[in-house]
Amino acid sequence: MKNQRDQQFVSSLIMIGLVIIVILAISGCATTVPVTAKFPEPPGKGAMTVCPDLQKLKDNAKLSDVANTVTVNYSTYYECAVKTDAWQEWYRIQRHIFEGVGK
């Protein structure tokens, strides 16, 4: 009879322990604090720099000055275009990832 009571006592302790573990596991998953994702920072300062102004011709410019200015302006424009395109692509990818996280 005492052996049966001991077994019932141990069984009761095990059940109480399991109930406590389940309650702790369930309550550990709940949060009352809203979770907000932060949009990532840009990939570097190079993408955030402002494009330089294009060069202007002087009033008494020679043909060689025109050719030089056009060459410099084309290279300045295309460097800026590459940076801008890379920034826009990075932004589109990050925005897609950011919006997909909550779904």
Side-chain angles (χ1 to χ4, degrees):
M1 188 103 158
K2 184 178 180 197
N3 195 15
Q4 187 179 8
R5 243 186 276 150
D6 289 342
Q7 286 179 350
Q8 286 178 344
F9 180 70
V10 170
S11 295
S12 297
L13 286 178
I14 291 173
M15 286 301 283
I16 291 172
L18 287 175
V19 169
I20 290 173
I21 290 173
V22 168
I23 290 172
L24 289 175
I26 291 172
S27 66
C29 295
T31 180
T32 58
V33 179
V35 178
T36 56
K38 294 182 181 176
F39 196 74
E41 292 296 318
K45 294 187 182 202
M48 298 299 292
T49 57
V50 178
C51 294
D53 292 333
L54 299 178
Q55 292 183 1
K56 296 180 181 176
L57 286 172
K58 297 178 182 171
D59 289 336
N60 57 353
K62 299 177 187 173
L63 187 55
S64 60
D65 294 334
V66 172
N68 187 37
T69 302
V70 168
T71 303
V72 169
N73 283 346
Y74 267 111
S75 66
T76 302
Y77 167 79
Y78 284 112
E79 283 178 23
C80 187
V82 167
K83 276 197 289 186
T84 304
D85 291 345
W87 163 246
Q88 289 172 353
E89 180 183 4
W90 176 87
Y91 181 83
R92 277 192 300 273
I93 292 169
Q94 297 304 317
R95 183 70 181 214
H96 179 72
I97 292 170
F98 182 77
E99 289 174 348
V101 168
K103 294 180 181 178

